[in-house]
Amino acid sequence: MTLLVPLYIHPAEDPAAWRLLASAADRVHGVVLNPGDGPGRSPDPSFAAAARALREAGTRVLGYVDLAYGERPGSAVRDDLDRHREWYDVDGCFLDRAPAGAAELRRCRRLVRAARRRGADTVVLNPGVHPARGYARIADVVVTFEGHWTAYLSSFVRPRWTSRHPAERFCHLVYGVPPALTRLAVRTALERGAAVSCPVAGELPNPWAAPPFALLRETP
């Protein structure tokens, strides 16, 4: 079990959740840091302390950057990457709302290269669906599903090309998962070719306000 956890809540509002993530570093692939739909307008000491605690525990910290499905100007994306690095010393980036079409691949590749030049050891792309196959070659992890548990069970289709890549290259983010079924959700992701996942019980508008507590608290 390897969890990629977007935790979109302020550390001062739920410090126990952030401490729990640091204590379960052996199960966490990375934690997405999102002070304000990105790095925010100015450094936040609480997020800086949370990021430092995660890194000291051996957990990757990934700065949240919105690509707006390829519509956001590259200069704004690069500014966010720089701020995350300067203010929170992140290990990599989580490029959210990434494009998925073949026509946008070249531009997305340039943004990933910009992230690498800025010291991103890990780049996660989140189109939330299976993108054109070339996207799997430019990122370390691609989120090929983000959505509700009911949709995950009823409408998930895995393209054949994904089987040519290791399962560690794919992630499924599933919300609305009944707490008793979180282990089933992890197994389902593995069966569908994603070794990285995060099943949470939360619902919209912010399902990522809490981590998967049961999975983090249980004995490995």
Side-chain angles (χ1 to χ4, degrees), residues 83-115:
R83 292 188 183 106
H84 271 301
R85 186 71 174 173
E86 179 182 353
W87 296 346
Y88 305 114
D89 196 22
V90 296
D91 304 294
C93 58
F94 180 86
L95 303 179
D96 196 27
R97 298 203 301 164
E104 295 82 21
L105 177 58
R106 180 177 296 181
R107 184 172 185 273
C108 192
R109 184 185 291 113
R110 289 198 298 268
L111 294 175
V112 170
R113 287 174 178 167

mmCIF file of all heavy atoms in Angstrom, residues 83-115:
data_model
loop_
_atom_site.group_PDB
_atom_site.id
_atom_site.type_symbol
_atom_site.label_atom_id
_atom_site.label_comp_id
_atom_site.label_asym_id
_atom_site.label_seq_id
_atom_site.Cartn_x
_atom_site.Cartn_y
_atom_site.Cartn_z
ATOM 1 N N ARG A 83 7.877 29.592 -5.844
ATOM 2 C CA ARG A 83 7.440 29.924 -4.483
ATOM 3 C C ARG A 83 7.388 28.685 -3.599
ATOM 4 O O ARG A 83 7.794 28.721 -2.434
ATOM 5 C CB ARG A 83 6.079 30.619 -4.532
ATOM 6 C CG ARG A 83 6.117 32.004 -5.167
ATOM 7 C CD ARG A 83 4.783 32.708 -5.011
ATOM 8 N NE ARG A 83 4.794 34.005 -5.670
ATOM 9 C CZ ARG A 83 4.176 34.276 -6.817
ATOM 10 N NH1 ARG A 83 3.487 33.309 -7.432
ATOM 11 N NH2 ARG A 83 4.229 35.481 -7.348
ATOM 12 N N HIS A 84 6.883 27.598 -4.142
ATOM 13 C CA HIS A 84 6.858 26.363 -3.357
ATOM 14 C C HIS A 84 8.271 25.960 -2.927
ATOM 15 O O HIS A 84 8.497 25.547 -1.786
ATOM 16 C CB HIS A 84 6.240 25.228 -4.174
ATOM 17 C CG HIS A 84 4.755 25.111 -4.042
ATOM 18 N ND1 HIS A 84 4.128 24.908 -2.829
ATOM 19 C CD2 HIS A 84 3.769 25.145 -4.981
ATOM 20 C CE1 HIS A 84 2.816 24.826 -3.020
ATOM 21 N NE2 HIS A 84 2.578 24.968 -4.301
ATOM 22 N N ARG A 85 9.189 26.082 -3.846
ATOM 23 C CA ARG A 85 10.565 25.690 -3.550
ATOM 24 C C ARG A 85 11.198 26.624 -2.521
ATOM 25 O O ARG A 85 11.846 26.187 -1.569
ATOM 26 C CB ARG A 85 11.374 25.697 -4.851
ATOM 27 C CG ARG A 85 12.788 25.169 -4.726
ATOM 28 C CD ARG A 85 12.815 23.682 -4.510
ATOM 29 N NE ARG A 85 14.168 23.157 -4.542
ATOM 30 C CZ ARG A 85 14.490 21.922 -4.246
ATOM 31 N NH1 ARG A 85 13.552 21.066 -3.903
ATOM 32 N NH2 ARG A 85 15.738 21.519 -4.286
ATOM 33 N N GLU A 86 10.987 27.921 -2.710
ATOM 34 C CA GLU A 86 11.609 28.907 -1.828
ATOM 35 C C GLU A 86 10.979 28.916 -0.440
ATOM 36 O O GLU A 86 11.683 28.992 0.568
ATOM 37 C CB GLU A 86 11.483 30.296 -2.457
ATOM 38 C CG GLU A 86 12.079 31.405 -1.599
ATOM 39 C CD GLU A 86 11.894 32.774 -2.230
ATOM 40 O OE1 GLU A 86 11.431 32.848 -3.395
ATOM 41 O OE2 GLU A 86 12.224 33.778 -1.560
ATOM 42 N N TRP A 87 9.651 28.840 -0.380
ATOM 43 C CA TRP A 87 8.962 29.002 0.896
ATOM 44 C C TRP A 87 8.837 27.704 1.690
ATOM 45 O O TRP A 87 8.870 27.720 2.920
ATOM 46 C CB TRP A 87 7.554 29.560 0.662
ATOM 47 C CG TRP A 87 7.538 30.930 0.075
ATOM 48 C CD1 TRP A 87 8.585 31.809 -0.018
ATOM 49 C CD2 TRP A 87 6.417 31.591 -0.520
ATOM 50 N NE1 TRP A 87 8.192 32.967 -0.624
ATOM 51 C CE2 TRP A 87 6.866 32.873 -0.949
ATOM 52 C CE3 TRP A 87 5.091 31.240 -0.737
ATOM 53 C CZ2 TRP A 87 6.008 33.786 -1.564
ATOM 54 C CZ3 TRP A 87 4.243 32.136 -1.362
ATOM 55 C CH2 TRP A 87 4.698 33.403 -1.776
ATOM 56 N N TYR A 88 8.695 26.569 0.989
ATOM 57 C CA TYR A 88 8.397 25.314 1.683
ATOM 58 C C TYR A 88 9.396 24.195 1.404
ATOM 59 O O TYR A 88 9.237 23.097 1.927
ATOM 60 C CB TYR A 88 6.976 24.859 1.312
ATOM 61 C CG TYR A 88 5.947 25.924 1.579
ATOM 62 C CD1 TYR A 88 5.237 26.528 0.536
ATOM 63 C CD2 TYR A 88 5.706 26.371 2.887
ATOM 64 C CE1 TYR A 88 4.320 27.531 0.789
ATOM 65 C CE2 TYR A 88 4.782 27.378 3.141
ATOM 66 C CZ TYR A 88 4.094 27.950 2.092
ATOM 67 O OH TYR A 88 3.182 28.955 2.334
ATOM 68 N N ASP A 89 10.399 24.484 0.578
ATOM 69 C CA ASP A 89 11.464 23.517 0.300
ATOM 70 C C ASP A 89 10.890 22.164 -0.113
ATOM 71 O O ASP A 89 11.298 21.104 0.382
ATOM 72 C CB ASP A 89 12.373 23.360 1.533
ATOM 73 C CG ASP A 89 13.689 22.687 1.196
ATOM 74 O OD1 ASP A 89 14.088 22.711 0.015
ATOM 75 O OD2 ASP A 89 14.321 22.123 2.111
ATOM 76 N N VAL A 90 9.934 22.188 -1.032
ATOM 77 C CA VAL A 90 9.250 20.962 -1.445
ATOM 78 C C VAL A 90 10.196 20.046 -2.215
ATOM 79 O O VAL A 90 11.195 20.479 -2.786
ATOM 80 C CB VAL A 90 8.005 21.279 -2.296
ATOM 81 C CG1 VAL A 90 6.975 22.041 -1.475
ATOM 82 C CG2 VAL A 90 8.386 22.046 -3.555
ATOM 83 N N ASP A 91 9.851 18.769 -2.217
ATOM 84 C CA ASP A 91 10.641 17.763 -2.933
ATOM 85 C C ASP A 91 10.224 17.618 -4.384
ATOM 86 O O ASP A 91 10.962 17.063 -5.198
ATOM 87 C CB ASP A 91 10.496 16.397 -2.251
ATOM 88 C CG ASP A 91 10.884 16.446 -0.789
ATOM 89 O OD1 ASP A 91 12.068 16.675 -0.514
ATOM 90 O OD2 ASP A 91 9.992 16.284 0.068
ATOM 91 N N GLY A 92 9.020 18.066 -4.687
ATOM 92 C CA GLY A 92 8.499 17.917 -6.037
ATOM 93 C C GLY A 92 7.209 18.696 -6.182
ATOM 94 O O GLY A 92 6.915 19.604 -5.395
ATOM 95 N N CYS A 93 6.427 18.345 -7.177
ATOM 96 C CA CYS A 93 5.196 19.087 -7.438
ATOM 97 C C CYS A 93 4.066 18.154 -7.832
ATOM 98 O O CYS A 93 4.285 17.067 -8.367
ATOM 99 C CB CYS A 93 5.419 20.143 -8.520
ATOM 100 S SG CYS A 93 6.019 19.478 -10.086
ATOM 101 N N PHE A 94 2.866 18.628 -7.550
ATOM 102 C CA PHE A 94 1.619 17.948 -7.918
ATOM 103 C C PHE A 94 0.916 18.878 -8.886
ATOM 104 O O PHE A 94 0.362 19.909 -8.486
ATOM 105 C CB PHE A 94 0.783 17.695 -6.667
ATOM 106 C CG PHE A 94 -0.536 17.005 -6.908
ATOM 107 C CD1 PHE A 94 -0.605 15.620 -6.970
ATOM 108 C CD2 PHE A 94 -1.711 17.732 -7.026
ATOM 109 C CE1 PHE A 94 -1.822 14.977 -7.165
ATOM 110 C CE2 PHE A 94 -2.929 17.099 -7.214
ATOM 111 C CZ PHE A 94 -2.983 15.716 -7.280
ATOM 112 N N LEU A 95 0.990 18.559 -10.165
ATOM 113 C CA LEU A 95 0.435 19.414 -11.211
ATOM 114 C C LEU A 95 -1.021 19.027 -11.439
ATOM 115 O O LEU A 95 -1.333 18.080 -12.172
ATOM 116 C CB LEU A 95 1.261 19.284 -12.486
ATOM 117 C CG LEU A 95 2.760 19.621 -12.325
ATOM 118 C CD1 LEU A 95 3.490 19.434 -13.649
ATOM 119 C CD2 LEU A 95 2.957 21.029 -11.792
ATOM 120 N N ASP A 96 -1.914 19.775 -10.803
ATOM 121 C CA ASP A 96 -3.332 19.439 -10.799
ATOM 122 C C ASP A 96 -4.024 19.994 -12.033
ATOM 123 O O ASP A 96 -3.551 20.934 -12.672
ATOM 124 C CB ASP A 96 -3.982 20.020 -9.540
ATOM 125 C CG ASP A 96 -5.340 19.410 -9.261
ATOM 126 O OD1 ASP A 96 -5.569 18.243 -9.668
ATOM 127 O OD2 ASP A 96 -6.190 20.075 -8.633
ATOM 128 N N ARG A 97 -5.172 19.395 -12.346
ATOM 129 C CA ARG A 97 -5.956 19.772 -13.524
ATOM 130 C C ARG A 97 -5.060 19.845 -14.748
ATOM 131 O O ARG A 97 -5.077 20.802 -15.517
ATOM 132 C CB ARG A 97 -6.694 21.088 -13.274
ATOM 133 C CG ARG A 97 -7.687 21.013 -12.127
ATOM 134 C CD ARG A 97 -8.765 22.068 -12.237
ATOM 135 N NE ARG A 97 -8.237 23.427 -12.245
ATOM 136 C CZ ARG A 97 -8.934 24.500 -12.625
ATOM 137 N NH1 ARG A 97 -10.179 24.354 -13.053
ATOM 138 N NH2 ARG A 97 -8.392 25.697 -12.578
ATOM 139 N N ALA A 98 -4.256 18.784 -14.892
ATOM 140 C CA ALA A 98 -3.374 18.686 -16.055
ATOM 141 C C ALA A 98 -4.194 18.359 -17.296
ATOM 142 O O ALA A 98 -5.236 17.704 -17.218
ATOM 143 C CB ALA A 98 -2.319 17.612 -15.824
ATOM 144 N N PRO A 99 -3.742 18.787 -18.456
ATOM 145 C CA PRO A 99 -4.432 18.404 -19.690
ATOM 146 C C PRO A 99 -4.257 16.910 -19.952
ATOM 147 O O PRO A 99 -3.374 16.270 -19.377
ATOM 148 C CB PRO A 99 -3.736 19.250 -20.759
ATOM 149 C CG PRO A 99 -2.375 19.498 -20.212
ATOM 150 C CD PRO A 99 -2.557 19.616 -18.721
ATOM 151 N N ALA A 100 -5.090 16.383 -20.817
ATOM 152 C CA ALA A 100 -5.029 14.952 -21.121
ATOM 153 C C ALA A 100 -4.896 14.659 -22.610
ATOM 154 O O ALA A 100 -4.592 13.527 -22.991
ATOM 155 C CB ALA A 100 -6.281 14.255 -20.582
ATOM 156 N N GLY A 101 -5.094 15.655 -23.452
ATOM 157 C CA GLY A 101 -5.091 15.421 -24.892
ATOM 158 C C GLY A 101 -3.708 15.423 -25.503
ATOM 159 O O GLY A 101 -2.772 16.041 -24.984
ATOM 160 N N ALA A 102 -3.585 14.755 -26.632
ATOM 161 C CA ALA A 102 -2.296 14.684 -27.326
ATOM 162 C C ALA A 102 -1.826 16.059 -27.779
ATOM 163 O O ALA A 102 -0.630 16.348 -27.804
ATOM 164 C CB ALA A 102 -2.411 13.738 -28.512
ATOM 165 N N ALA A 103 -2.752 16.947 -28.112
ATOM 166 C CA ALA A 103 -2.380 18.269 -28.613
ATOM 167 C C ALA A 103 -1.691 19.111 -27.549
ATOM 168 O O ALA A 103 -0.888 19.995 -27.877
ATOM 169 C CB ALA A 103 -3.621 19.003 -29.130
ATOM 170 N N GLU A 104 -1.988 18.858 -26.286
ATOM 171 C CA GLU A 104 -1.403 19.645 -25.194
ATOM 172 C C GLU A 104 -0.139 19.022 -24.616
ATOM 173 O O GLU A 104 0.484 19.580 -23.711
ATOM 174 C CB GLU A 104 -2.421 19.822 -24.060
ATOM 175 C CG GLU A 104 -3.652 20.630 -24.414
ATOM 176 C CD GLU A 104 -4.708 19.801 -25.131
ATOM 177 O OE1 GLU A 104 -4.669 18.558 -25.013
ATOM 178 O OE2 GLU A 104 -5.564 20.385 -25.823
ATOM 179 N N LEU A 105 0.251 17.864 -25.132
ATOM 180 C CA LEU A 105 1.374 17.134 -24.540
ATOM 181 C C LEU A 105 2.674 17.921 -24.611
ATOM 182 O O LEU A 105 3.430 17.968 -23.633
ATOM 183 C CB LEU A 105 1.530 15.778 -25.225
ATOM 184 C CG LEU A 105 2.714 14.912 -24.773
ATOM 185 C CD1 LEU A 105 2.651 14.623 -23.282
ATOM 186 C CD2 LEU A 105 2.752 13.616 -25.569
ATOM 187 N N ARG A 106 2.958 18.543 -25.738
ATOM 188 C CA ARG A 106 4.229 19.253 -25.888
ATOM 189 C C ARG A 106 4.351 20.373 -24.864
ATOM 190 O O ARG A 106 5.402 20.532 -24.224
ATOM 191 C CB ARG A 106 4.362 19.813 -27.297
ATOM 192 C CG ARG A 106 5.669 20.571 -27.527
ATOM 193 C CD ARG A 106 5.790 21.048 -28.963
ATOM 194 N NE ARG A 106 5.855 19.919 -29.895
ATOM 195 C CZ ARG A 106 5.974 20.057 -31.209
ATOM 196 N NH1 ARG A 106 6.026 21.274 -31.748
ATOM 197 N NH2 ARG A 106 6.033 18.994 -31.986
ATOM 198 N N ARG A 107 3.283 21.151 -24.677
ATOM 199 C CA ARG A 107 3.334 22.241 -23.700
ATOM 200 C C ARG A 107 3.469 21.702 -22.280
ATOM 201 O O ARG A 107 4.215 22.247 -21.460
ATOM 202 C CB ARG A 107 2.081 23.106 -23.810
ATOM 203 C CG ARG A 107 2.107 24.313 -22.883
ATOM 204 C CD ARG A 107 0.940 25.256 -23.164
ATOM 205 N NE ARG A 107 1.049 26.451 -22.347
ATOM 206 C CZ ARG A 107 0.568 26.546 -21.120
ATOM 207 N NH1 ARG A 107 -0.070 25.525 -20.570
ATOM 208 N NH2 ARG A 107 0.705 27.668 -20.429
ATOM 209 N N CYS A 108 2.770 20.635 -21.979
ATOM 210 C CA CYS A 108 2.868 20.039 -20.649
ATOM 211 C C CYS A 108 4.283 19.520 -20.401
ATOM 212 O O CYS A 108 4.819 19.642 -19.286
ATOM 213 C CB CYS A 108 1.842 18.917 -20.512
ATOM 214 S SG CYS A 108 1.625 18.351 -18.810
ATOM 215 N N ARG A 109 4.895 18.968 -21.428
ATOM 216 C CA ARG A 109 6.276 18.484 -21.296
ATOM 217 C C ARG A 109 7.214 19.636 -20.929
ATOM 218 O O ARG A 109 8.103 19.475 -20.092
ATOM 219 C CB ARG A 109 6.728 17.818 -22.593
ATOM 220 C CG ARG A 109 8.117 17.205 -22.494
ATOM 221 C CD ARG A 109 8.594 16.648 -23.821
ATOM 222 N NE ARG A 109 7.818 15.465 -24.216
ATOM 223 C CZ ARG A 109 7.006 15.417 -25.264
ATOM 224 N NH1 ARG A 109 6.858 16.490 -26.050
ATOM 225 N NH2 ARG A 109 6.341 14.326 -25.565
ATOM 226 N N ARG A 110 6.994 20.797 -21.525
ATOM 227 C CA ARG A 110 7.834 21.952 -21.203
ATOM 228 C C ARG A 110 7.664 22.373 -19.745
ATOM 229 O O ARG A 110 8.636 22.747 -19.080
ATOM 230 C CB ARG A 110 7.493 23.125 -22.131
ATOM 231 C CG ARG A 110 7.939 22.925 -23.570
ATOM 232 C CD ARG A 110 7.990 24.255 -24.313
ATOM 233 N NE ARG A 110 6.683 24.893 -24.394
ATOM 234 C CZ ARG A 110 5.832 24.726 -25.404
ATOM 235 N NH1 ARG A 110 6.147 23.924 -26.420
ATOM 236 N NH2 ARG A 110 4.675 25.346 -25.419
ATOM 237 N N LEU A 111 6.437 22.310 -19.250
ATOM 238 C CA LEU A 111 6.198 22.678 -17.850
ATOM 239 C C LEU A 111 6.845 21.681 -16.895
ATOM 240 O O LEU A 111 7.385 22.057 -15.848
ATOM 241 C CB LEU A 111 4.696 22.774 -17.594
ATOM 242 C CG LEU A 111 3.968 23.902 -18.333
ATOM 243 C CD1 LEU A 111 2.473 23.820 -18.082
ATOM 244 C CD2 LEU A 111 4.501 25.265 -17.911
ATOM 245 N N VAL A 112 6.793 20.408 -17.252
ATOM 246 C CA VAL A 112 7.454 19.396 -16.420
ATOM 247 C C VAL A 112 8.963 19.626 -16.425
ATOM 248 O O VAL A 112 9.620 19.528 -15.372
ATOM 249 C CB VAL A 112 7.107 17.977 -16.915
ATOM 250 C CG1 VAL A 112 7.971 16.941 -16.211
ATOM 251 C CG2 VAL A 112 5.630 17.678 -16.680
ATOM 252 N N ARG A 113 9.521 19.970 -17.567
ATOM 253 C CA ARG A 113 10.952 20.259 -17.623
ATOM 254 C C ARG A 113 11.294 21.473 -16.770
ATOM 255 O O ARG A 113 12.342 21.498 -16.106
ATOM 256 C CB ARG A 113 11.377 20.500 -19.072
ATOM 257 C CG ARG A 113 11.425 19.230 -19.916
ATOM 258 C CD ARG A 113 11.698 19.562 -21.371
ATOM 259 N NE ARG A 113 11.792 18.355 -22.192
ATOM 260 C CZ ARG A 113 11.781 18.353 -23.508
ATOM 261 N NH1 ARG A 113 11.684 19.501 -24.186
ATOM 262 N NH2 ARG A 113 11.870 17.224 -24.183
ATOM 263 N N ALA A 114 10.412 22.473 -16.773
ATOM 264 C CA ALA A 114 10.632 23.647 -15.927
ATOM 265 C C ALA A 114 10.639 23.255 -14.454
ATOM 266 O O ALA A 114 11.442 23.766 -13.662
ATOM 267 C CB ALA A 114 9.551 24.697 -16.195
ATOM 268 N N ALA A 115 9.752 22.340 -14.085
ATOM 269 C CA ALA A 115 9.728 21.857 -12.698
ATOM 270 C C ALA A 115 11.012 21.112 -12.357
ATOM 271 O O ALA A 115 11.582 21.297 -11.269
ATOM 272 C CB ALA A 115 8.515 20.957 -12.491
#
